[in-house]
Amino acid sequence: MAEEMLRFRGGRPLRGEVTVQGAKNSALPLLAAALLCSGESILHNVPRLTDTWTACRILNRLGCRCRAAGNTVTVQGGDVGGCEIPDADMRKMRSSIMFLGPLIGLKHACILTMPGGCELGPRPIDMHLDAVRRLGAQITESGGKIHCQAARLRGAKIALSYPSVGVTENVLTVAALAEGETVLTNAAREPEIADLARFLNACGARISGAGEGTVVIEGVSQLHAAEYTVMPDRIAAMTWLCAGAAAGGELCLRGAAPGDMESCLSVLEAAGCRLGVCGDRIYLSHSGVLRCPRRLLTMPYPGFPTDAQAPVTAMLATGSGTCVVEETVFESRYKHVGGLMQMGADIRVSGRIAVVNGVRALHGADVTAPDLRGGAALGIAAAAAEGESLLRGLHHIDRGYEDFAGVFNSLGAEVRRCPILSAGGGKMPAEPQSC
Ligand code: UD1
């Protein structure tokens, strides 16, 4: 298929309702965890994303029958043939590392290579390997492959040196089937971890404290399949709120989880947006110029999420005043700044700090998504900017957003998806029904 781009005619206020998609960062570990459970697990509200199709393909290659129909994915788990994740799939997304825990838990073995994903600086897997080693796995490396093997899995006390999301999730899936009790301290507290624990508990696991700093896992001998609904995507929700704030207008998000978004909502309030919350709805209205808060620090949950940093930076670029942004989670997460500057933004980056001087108005430009959330940031800027923008590198955006252009259009923006080499309107890529 020819490569595509988005053509934005920006500068229109955004008005309307958006139903928030299911959380990518919950759906991917849940799909991997379904491998552990005997029988057919049914997952609802799974977002239709290229990362989802990669996870489904890995499951099918491992011998679990995985089928997608709309936003529901069924996985036949518990009887996995292989234990090797192909290098091509490992490279496609960072979340392929989420298969490490379930494969060790079920097969006591896993062969993998280094995962790919967005380039946000070095993303080692040392903590993942240390954690599974503590639970009884032996790890060797040969021919560029990492071999993990466990004669027996035994619960252990594990203290993480940093509250890594992925490591916490892998510990949950290995320890769920290990002998005895595992106590994990300095665990990540992201809401997606509690979502994974709720699914595993519905499958017969005994996990308590997930979503808090200490998680206790009582190993059980087997897990059964369950039906489960993926939680709402707080980063996608924040993306649409930032777009509404930057372009001005009135939005209502339905199916959101505002309780998981406090640090995000307080940044929007500090910027001068009017917000209202009622059950699973978030209302935002804004007109005039946004105020830049003086400082913004990304942190593990419940701090401000690193994944929302790029969308917020784009929003603040359209404001007034100066904000000092500090990225503490990843080393290199400002690749979207170059595109924003092409659109007239005034942002200076030095290491993990970005100083955003609001310029009040951006102009259209021809820009390329550098990564998933950086691409979303450029989309927000393009919707707010005066004139026409072209946004390339859509494969990054398709990894994390269901119908990115369609949501903008439903809010009154003018965005067309079109092939790069020919003029005229394009169409969305076909969605695989079964992977
Ligand atoms: C998850 C999210 C990602 C988000 C990130 C931080 C998913 C699928 N992805 O990624 O969107 O940006 O949390 O909220 O849920 N680290 C190590 N060694 C390791 C593991 C991690 O040094 O073995 C470092 C990382 O390089 C990074 C930090 O720990 O600097 C946090 O990473 P982590 O919380 O593990 O993020 P992911 O689980 O990869």
Side-chain angles (χ1 to χ4, degrees):
M1 195 199 303
E3 207 185 324
E4 294 178 311
M5 65 182 173
L6 296 182
R7 189 183 291 272
F8 283 77
R9 222 176 281 281
R12 297 176 172 213
L14 302 179
R15 292 184 207 286
E17 291 195 350
V18 180
T19 301
V20 177
Q21 69 185 50
K24 168 179 94 74
N25 287 355
S26 181
L28 299 176
L30 286 174
L31 284 166
L35 174 160
L36 281 170
C37 312
S38 305
E40 189 175 79
S41 286
I42 304 174
L43 299 177
H44 301 290
N45 202 31
V46 177
R48 287 170 287 124
L49 307 170
T50 50
D51 271 10
T52 306
W53 312 138
T54 302
C56 291
R57 195 171 42 247
I58 293 175
L59 283 166
N60 277 323
R61 289 201 176 140
L62 290 170
C64 294
R65 221 165 104 85
C66 176
R67 292 180 153 274
N71 289 98
T72 295
V73 177
T74 53
V75 182
Q76 191 71 43
D79 185 20
V80 173
C83 67
E84 178 163 359
I85 309 166
D87 182 52
D89 291 327
M90 285 300 299
R91 282 169 195 270
K92 278 209 172 74
M93 61 171 186
R94 169 83 184 171
S95 304
S96 44
I97 192 71
M98 296 321 309
F99 285 88
L100 171 69
L103 280 172
I104 294 183
L106 186 72
K107 298 281 290 182
H108 290 199
C110 176
I111 303 171
L112 73 167
T113 54
M114 285 298 286
C118 291
E119 286 175 26
L120 312 175
R123 295 182 80 174
I125 60 168
D126 54 329
M127 289 170 60
H128 292 267
L129 299 180
D130 281 351
V132 298
R133 217 181 258 124
R134 302 266 313 162
L135 292 163
Q138 294 197 327
I139 295 163
T140 51
E141 257 189 270
S142 69
K145 292 184 181 176
I146 301 165
H147 298 254
C148 310
Q149 193 114 33
R152 259 174 103 178
L153 294 170
R154 287 195 190 159
K157 286 193 179 1
I158 303 175
L160 297 184
S161 57
Y162 182 90
S164 155
V165 175
V167 175
T168 301
E169 292 168 340
N170 268 330
V171 169
L172 257 54
T173 49
V174 179
L177 287 175
E179 291 168 34
E181 183 183 84
T182 297
V183 180
L184 177 67
T185 51
N186 200 25
R189 292 181 282 166
E190 269 68 4
E192 292 76 14
I193 287 161
D195 211 34
L196 173 63
R198 277 191 295 271
F199 169 67
L200 289 169
N201 284 343
C203 298
R206 295 177 62 191
I207 301 170
S208 57
E212 296 165 25
T214 300
V215 185
V216 179
I217 306 127
E218 197 67 59
V220 296
S221 56
Q222 58 175 16
L223 296 175
H224 54 78
E227 189 164 357
Y228 192 76
T229 299
V230 175
M231 64 179 283
D233 194 316
R234 61 199 167 98
I235 306 301
M238 185 58 178
T239 302
W240 303 122
L241 293 173
C242 289
E250 284 175 37
L251 298 190
C252 169
L253 302 190
R254 281 179 303 182
D260 295 338
M261 294 181 63
E262 281 178 14
S263 62
C264 288
L265 299 184
S266 66
V267 170
L268 293 164
E269 251 167 1
C273 299
R274 291 184 57 194
L275 288 174
V277 168
C278 179
D280 70 351
R281 294 180 182 220
I282 304 174
Y283 300 88
L284 173 138
S285 67
H286 180 68
S287 60
V289 179
L290 291 163
R291 288 191 300 268
C292 285
R294 291 175 64 174
R295 193 155 180 250
L296 183 69
L297 197 64
T298 67
M299 296 279 278
Y301 190 85
F304 181 80
T306 172
D307 288 351
Q309 178 263 110
V312 165
T313 306
M315 175 189 90
L316 296 178
T318 68
S320 69
T322 299
C323 180
V324 177
V325 180
E326 190 176 342
E327 172 58 63
T328 76
V329 180
F330 290 107
E331 264 180 40
S332 166
R333 208 162 192 185
Y334 290 122
K335 293 209 169 87
H336 51 290
V337 165
L340 293 177
M341 288 175 67
Q342 279 178 259
M343 301 170 100
D346 177 359
I347 304 174
R348 263 160 246 175
V349 174
S350 171
R352 289 175 180 246
I353 305 276
V355 179
V356 183
N357 291 307
V359 293
R360 292 167 180 254
L362 300 173
H363 55 74
D366 184 344
V367 293
T368 302
D371 51 48
L372 167 55
R373 305 302 169 186
L378 296 178
I380 290 167
E386 287 299 328
E388 187 173 272
S389 292
L390 302 179
L391 175 54
R392 303 165 194 267
L394 300 189
H395 60 283
H396 290 297
I397 294 174
D398 293 337
R399 287 188 42 226
Y401 292 90
E402 268 190 354
D403 195 8
F404 191 68
V407 174
F408 270 115
N409 285 327
S410 74
L411 296 173
E414 203 183 318
V415 187
R416 272 194 308 144
R417 186 164 178 133
C418 37
I420 283 183
L421 292 177
S422 65
K427 55 181 172 39
M428 293 295 293
E431 166 194 326
Q433 290 302 303
S434 160
C435 320

